[in-house]
Amino acid sequence: MYFRKELTFSTDRHEDLVDITSEINVAIVESGMEHGVCNIYVPHATSGVLVNENDDPNIIEDLLGVLRKIAPEGSFLHDRIDGNGDAHVKSAIIGPSESIPFKNSQLLLGTWQSVMLCEFDGPKYSRKVIITLFTG
Ligand code: ZN
């Protein structure tokens, strides 16, 4: 048995990490499923999904800082096409999905963990996040 829902988020900054944990937990409650696995997937080539801390906002800046060092803006062949080669590389490093178990209709995250949508080529009005829940 599975349940699928598409969520849409807008991003305000060129690069950002947006906490989407509560929206995912709402979708799990809406599904009526109590336990299983939740896959979170972004169908975009310049964004990603990761799980990390969102309590100290410096962690977001630290992560973005590391990615900027690995993939500096303006240093890629793809920049000749639409100027966002760095965003594609950052997206590939982070990856487009995470799978997280859920119990009592809530993600089984650690105290300091949040699910974050990663924007590398914003701001964008419409970033899709596809939630797929599987249960036995
Ligand atoms: Zn591109």
Side-chain angles (χ1 to χ4, degrees), residues 78 82 84 88:
H78 177 73
D82 60 357
N84 64 357
H88 289 281

Side-chain angles (χ1 to χ4, degrees), residues 55-110:
D55 192 55
D56 176 4
N58 288 320
I59 292 175
I60 289 174
E61 294 310 317
D62 288 341
L63 282 165
L64 290 173
V66 168
L67 291 169
R68 284 180 198 127
K69 278 183 195 156
I70 296 170
E73 252 180 76
S75 61
F76 295 96
L77 297 173
H78 177 73
D79 291 332
R80 294 176 207 158
I81 308 294
D82 60 357
N84 64 357
D86 65 297
H88 289 281
V89 171
K90 290 165 186 164
S91 168
I93 290 168
I94 295 300
S97 72
E98 292 284 352
S99 288
I100 303 165
F102 63 94
K103 185 181 169 188
N104 300 327
S105 301
Q106 297 292 284
L107 293 172
L108 276 175
L109 293 167

Side-chain angles (χ1 to χ4, degrees), residues 5-20:
K5 178 162 186 166
E6 189 176 298
L7 304 174
T8 305
F9 297 89
S10 59
T11 56
D12 300 328
R13 296 166 62 193
H14 180 59
E15 292 182 325
D16 204 1
L17 272 61
V18 180
D19 192 329
I20 60 172

